[in-house]
Amino acid sequence: MDKIVIEGGHRLEGTVRINGAKNAALPIMAACLLLNGPSRIKGIPNIDDIHTLSKILENLGGQIKRNTDGTLEITFMDRENQDKFTAPYELVSKMRASICVLGPLITKRHKAKVSYPGGCVIGQRPVDLHIKGIKALGAQIDTTEGYITASADRLKGTELSLKGEHGTTVLGTCNVMTAAVLAEGTTIIEDAAREPEVQDLARFLNKAGAKITGIGESTLTIEGVRELHGVDYEIIPDRIEAGTFMIAGAITRGNITLENVKSEHLTAVIDKLKEIGLEIISVGNTVSVKGNNLYHPIDITTMPYPGMPTDMQAQFMALLCTVEGKSIITEKIFPDRFMHAAELRRMGADIRVEGSCAVIKGVPFLSGTNVQVSDLRAGAGLVLAGLVAKDVTHVHRIYHLDRGYERLEERLSKLGAVVKRVDE
Ligand code: EPZ
């Protein structure tokens, strides 16, 4: 198993290119199950979650090829694969996002058997809203023996809401939308997720022949069509990867420029960084981040888009540990997503977690030590903390990081960080 070793205290400078969005790539790849003919999708990052989904899609009969320019070619020959409809436990248990094959399978192959993803370290993560949506479209669903098994003839358009206790659901919206595109008649999804990744999926589907309107709004209207065709498409840049690099610049009081960024997807993140005291300049597809030594504490509440993303919470927590004064983070999406707080405390941070709130008091310095990654974004937070900690930080269990960040240590090194990957 690999670990990342970081010698803290080096100011970052230079330019980094942001990859395509993992959370757009995953549902878009799954949506290829719906298409007749090959698709070429540009900008899919070369990370473990993409490899896991590729295996699931290959099991379902997909042919997947990565070209040298990073484009993924995905083809399903439907007539040969109609009897393949299972996403097994061995693969789904590696990655919860595998659930996004449910909608495409049930509408295209009329049967789906997807392992129940279960909870995970960031919280309970139920799938009741996914099931509610697919059922509303007319599928019969059974949830015994650890699998969601669904069957249906052609699904029928309907009106439904995806509002849950913690707001709407991102992948649930993707599942219901992908199921509805081939349904008979019109589907109206109220309280749909508005995340840029959901919008990207809708645009991909429309390019393939779907009829979805209301993209980016909380009411989506989907007029079912008989079939969809293969397309060439380019994935949006990863706003969470961009936000993570912005904080790498901020925490080291550095000066870095990010290329391939859609700053309009990062309004909440940029506003908070400005409130802390950073200078952020967006020109076209580039964003420059200029740090300084005069940061202010802030309060943050994670919310569905366009609010502050929960996937940036751990990174902000690392930064706020280095800002004098008291900051408060309230987690409204995954109220238990604070596993990184205990590891940051091991580095000398002053963080008190009370229910879904974390109170952070800035400390004069963090100290390098051994820390364990519990999930992808927690890992990003710990690496960021390591960049400024005194001495050396050893970040263990980085397989979580490899699920979502491509060659993170190499790209940080190019910006001047002293960081390497070591086989333990
Ligand atoms: C997506 O997960 C992302 N994953 C997550 O990113 C992200 O943290 C999350 O959205 C929130 O933005 C992908 O896109 C692959 P949700 P998802 O359903 O769709 C509750 C990362 O680090 N809920 O929007 O699974 C749920 O418990 C990952 O890249 C229900 O109650 O999240 C949570 O409180 C981690 N019932 C809230 O809704 C349901 O049926 C939002 O979860 C589904 C969800």
Side-chain angles (χ1 to χ4, degrees), residues 70-90:
T71 303
L72 225 57
E73 276 184 36
I74 306 183
T75 312
F76 282 93
M77 308 297 263
D78 218 49
R79 254 180 246 125
E80 295 161 23
N81 293 311
Q82 206 59 22
D83 59 334
K84 294 184 178 141
F85 51 80
T86 304
Y89 172 77
E90 297 72 48

Side-chain angles (χ1 to χ4, degrees), residues 18-27 29 43-55 66 70 72 94-95 97 235 238 240-241 245 376-377 398-409 411 421:
I18 300 305
N19 287 326
K22 163 180 90 78
N23 290 349
L26 293 169
M29 285 171 68
I44 296 200
N46 198 359
I47 51 175
D48 285 354
D49 273 7
I50 297 295
H51 305 154
T52 303
L53 184 61
S54 297
K55 276 194 201 130
R66 185 176 275 276
L72 225 57
K94 284 192 179 175
M95 183 186 70
I235 301 274
D238 196 315
I240 306 301
E241 187 180 88
F245 274 103
L376 172 58
R377 308 303 172 187
I398 58 163
Y399 53 85
H400 289 291
L401 269 176
D402 293 335
R403 290 182 49 187
Y405 292 94
E406 190 176 329
R407 299 176 295 105
L408 182 62
E409 73 286 358
R411 292 156 81 203
R421 179 182 289 259

Side-chain angles (χ1 to χ4, degrees), residues 113 182 190 221 281 317 330 356 359 361 369 406:
K113 188 173 176 193
L182 294 182
E190 301 284 2
T221 303
I281 298 168
M317 186 181 281
T330 308
S356 59
V359 181
K361 288 193 190 138
T369 182
E406 190 176 329

Side-chain angles (χ1 to χ4, degrees), residues 205-238:
L205 290 167
N206 276 354
K207 199 167 180 200
K211 292 189 176 158
I212 304 170
T213 52
I215 298 174
E217 292 164 25
S218 53
T219 302
L220 286 170
T221 303
I222 302 148
E223 237 183 87
V225 295
R226 273 281 174 193
E227 59 176 24
L228 299 172
H229 51 81
V231 283
D232 285 2
Y233 195 76
E234 181 165 359
I235 301 274
I236 51 166
D238 196 315

